[in-house]
Amino acid sequence: MSAEVRMVDLRGEVCPYVLVQARLVMKELAQGESLRVITDFPPAVDDMNKGFTVQGDEVVRVESVQEGVWAVTIRKGTYSTETNVALPPEIKQDVEDFQNNLLAYFRGELDPNAFKRFRLLRGVYGQRQPGLQMVRVKIPFGRLTSEQLRVCGHAAKEFGCGSGHVTTRQDIQFHFVPLPRVPAFMRTIGAVGLTTREACGNTVRNVTACPLAGVCPQEVFDVTPYAAAVSRYFLRHPLSQALPRKFKIAFSGCPDDCGMGGINDIGLTAVRRDEVNGSGDHQPDIGFRMVVGGGLGPSPEVAHLLYEFVPIDQLIPTCEAIVRVFDREGNRKSRNTARMKFVIRRLGITRFREEVEKERAALPPRVPLDATLFHEEPPPVRDIPDAPP
């Protein structure tokens, strides 16, 4: 064999470990170099033939080297989702963390319950079918570009069952994704700025907004820049990694509350008030009416009014203060009574507001928000292999 062919002997190993280990070795190769995988597990041959071809590599030879043993030779292509997609650093780190924990789990080095907690935090749910996952992708405040939508369609076809399910929280769920292929799935969607991070688990979930935000004739102002800012702030935030229970935030641009803040942990509705400046002139000031502690389920609750008006530059500190109170006061002993609505039932809204203001005093008084930040565009779709025209 050529000196450029790397060999890895995985006899005695079963799927999905064979495919995962082969992919890790492939990451170390340069384009045009080859990897020869020895396996005695027949399903691994099919897994490698499909898995590497999809990501842009070429399976050049499958041969029987002795009875019950096969050699699969794969050449690294000019494009590979393993190495060539220019991912944002934080998404790249998320993918590498998942890959490393997945391998540790397959090796028996990571407890199944610990891996379950880890994958849920990354938006990966187990299905009843062994080895298959439902992967949830966050679509913050419901904004999805045409490029991102094309890539979601590509991901559904290549990694799942060919379709995605849109959720009530403006996520997209992809079913029947094989566990070993989840890292490649994450890389594919990550190339256009999408992530699964904190789409599940006891975290600040996807921040939602009215679907008509920006075009509703009745809206006080467009809430999407502020929903985007809150979403960015809590994504990967240390406070959001191990809350007592999931935490939901919703924005609405008009009094009709199309974002349904009344059934969320924090509901924010755009409002405008007039203030008198030093010259005696009236100046409009925009902000949010804030309600807290809403929820559905077997014990529904309509959210309580916390503040009639929260100025824009106090939005993030106030939201963080609320999450901090929930993190401290939430019930971690009973999943059935762990949501924030039960904290407010126990403390009462007056005492809850006092606790929020204590936390608020320890945080920066103001966080100015730039309403143009959410217009940043993701990388172009040409970075994605085999995206449909």
Side-chain angles (χ1 to χ4, degrees), residues 129-145:
Q129 297 81 5
L132 297 176
Q133 311 296 308
M134 182 277 283
V135 184
R136 181 180 292 158
V137 176
K138 296 168 76 174
I139 313 297
F141 57 95
R143 177 182 183 255
L144 191 67
T145 68

Side-chain angles (χ1 to χ4, degrees), residues 202 204 234 236-243 320-321 323-324 327:
N202 297 328
V204 176
F234 284 109
R236 303 182 185 88
H237 194 295
L239 183 62
S240 182
Q241 305 307 298
L243 294 171
E320 180 173 350
V323 176
R324 287 182 178 276
D327 185 52

Side-chain angles (χ1 to χ4, degrees), residues 10 31 66 68 111 122 124 130 132 141-142 170 194 209 251 266 290 298 303 319 358:
L10 297 177
Q31 293 174 6
Q66 65 183 66
D111 177 77
R122 273 75 182 172
V124 182
L132 297 176
F141 57 95
Q170 297 172 333
L194 296 176
F251 283 78
I266 297 178
M290 178 180 281
C319 287
K358 289 177 185 176

Side-chain angles (χ1 to χ4, degrees), residues 63-382:
E63 55 187 319
S64 175
V65 295
Q66 65 183 66
E67 185 176 358
V69 179
W70 295 267
V72 182
T73 303
I74 309 120
R75 180 184 297 118
K76 192 160 189 176
T78 55
Y79 184 91
S80 170
T81 57
E82 295 292 332
T83 58
N84 292 344
V85 175
L87 296 178
E90 63 278 7
I91 293 180
K92 181 179 179 182
Q93 187 63 56
D94 286 343
V95 175
E96 290 178 353
D97 288 345
F98 194 93
Q99 183 92 58
N100 292 336
N101 278 268
L102 179 63
L103 186 57
Y105 169 67
F106 287 147
R107 287 172 171 166
E109 299 168 356
L110 184 62
D111 177 77
N113 288 328
F115 180 67
K116 178 181 179 180
R117 290 191 295 271
F118 172 83
R119 64 171 169 77
L120 286 174
L121 190 62
R122 273 75 182 172
V124 182
Y125 276 95
Q127 294 186 193
R128 292 180 180 179
Q129 297 81 5
L132 297 176
Q133 311 296 308
M134 182 277 283
V135 184
R136 181 180 292 158
V137 176
K138 296 168 76 174
I139 313 297
F141 57 95
R143 177 182 183 255
L144 191 67
T145 68
S146 59
E147 292 86 355
Q148 290 170 332
L149 186 58
R150 289 180 68 201
V151 171
C152 285
H154 167 70
K157 178 181 177 181
E158 297 296 349
F159 299 100
C161 61
S163 63
H165 293 182
V166 178
T167 77
T168 55
R169 291 208 62 79
Q170 297 172 333
D171 301 306
I172 300 179
Q173 296 182 170
F174 299 86
H175 292 264
F176 300 98
V177 179
L179 185 56
R181 305 199 67 203
V182 170
F185 177 96
M186 290 177 168
R187 288 187 188 93
T188 298
I189 64 163
V192 287
L194 296 176
T195 182
T196 65
R197 184 68 185 259
E198 292 138 38
C200 310
N202 297 328
T203 64
V204 176
R205 297 288 187 88
N206 191 41
V207 175
T208 61
C210 171
L212 295 179
V215 297
C216 174
Q218 281 79 44
E219 69 181 12
V220 179
F221 58 87
D222 183 4
V223 300
T224 48
Y226 311 105
V230 171
S231 177
R232 283 194 303 267
Y233 184 78
F234 284 109
L235 181 62
R236 303 182 185 88
H237 194 295
L239 183 62
S240 182
Q241 305 307 298
L243 294 171
R245 195 72 172 87
K246 58 188 175 182
F247 194 93
K248 301 178 178 181
I249 302 174
F251 283 78
S252 293
C254 77
D256 289 343
D257 190 22
C258 297
M260 300 186 180
I263 57 171
N264 282 264
D265 294 287
I266 297 178
L268 295 151
T269 303
V271 292
R272 185 186 302 270
R273 69 178 183 181
D274 288 339
E275 289 189 342
V276 179
N277 64 17
S279 303
D281 297 327
H282 286 271
Q283 285 193 333
D285 187 19
I286 63 172
F288 291 95
R289 184 178 188 270
M290 178 180 281
V291 296
V292 293
L296 296 177
S299 183
E301 184 91 0
V302 176
H304 306 262
L305 178 64
L306 188 66
Y307 296 114
E308 284 284 1
F309 186 85
V310 177
I312 293 296
D313 59 3
Q314 295 179 30
L315 174 61
I316 284 180
T318 305
C319 287
E320 180 173 350
I322 293 168
V323 176
R324 287 182 178 276
V325 172
F326 175 53
D327 185 52
R328 170 163 48 86
E329 297 288 342
N331 184 357
R332 285 184 161 85
K333 296 181 179 179
S334 171
R335 180 180 176 85
N336 292 333
T337 56
R339 293 292 299 275
M340 195 174 73
K341 61 188 176 184
F342 296 101
V343 174
I344 296 175
R345 286 181 189 178
R346 175 168 54 85
L347 298 180
I349 189 61
T350 301
R351 169 77 186 285
F352 183 84
R353 185 182 295 109
E354 292 171 354
E355 296 300 316
V356 169
E357 290 172 358
K358 289 177 185 176
E359 293 287 349
R360 185 74 180 76
L363 296 170
R366 298 178 186 279
V367 177
L369 299 181
D370 183 349
T372 66
L373 285 178
F374 89 109
H375 291 294
E376 296 174 355
E377 292 297 327
V381 74
R382 62 175 176 273

Side-chain angles (χ1 to χ4, degrees), residues 7-15 17-19 22 36-46 48 62-72:
M7 188 176 79
V8 57
D9 191 336
L10 297 177
R11 280 177 284 190
E13 304 292 350
V14 299
C15 287
Y17 176 77
V18 174
L19 182 58
R36 191 169 191 249
V37 182
I38 308 297
T39 179
D40 56 2
F41 190 63
V45 176
D46 291 334
M48 285 187 285
V62 177
E63 55 187 319
S64 175
V65 295
Q66 65 183 66
E67 185 176 358
V69 179
W70 295 267
V72 182

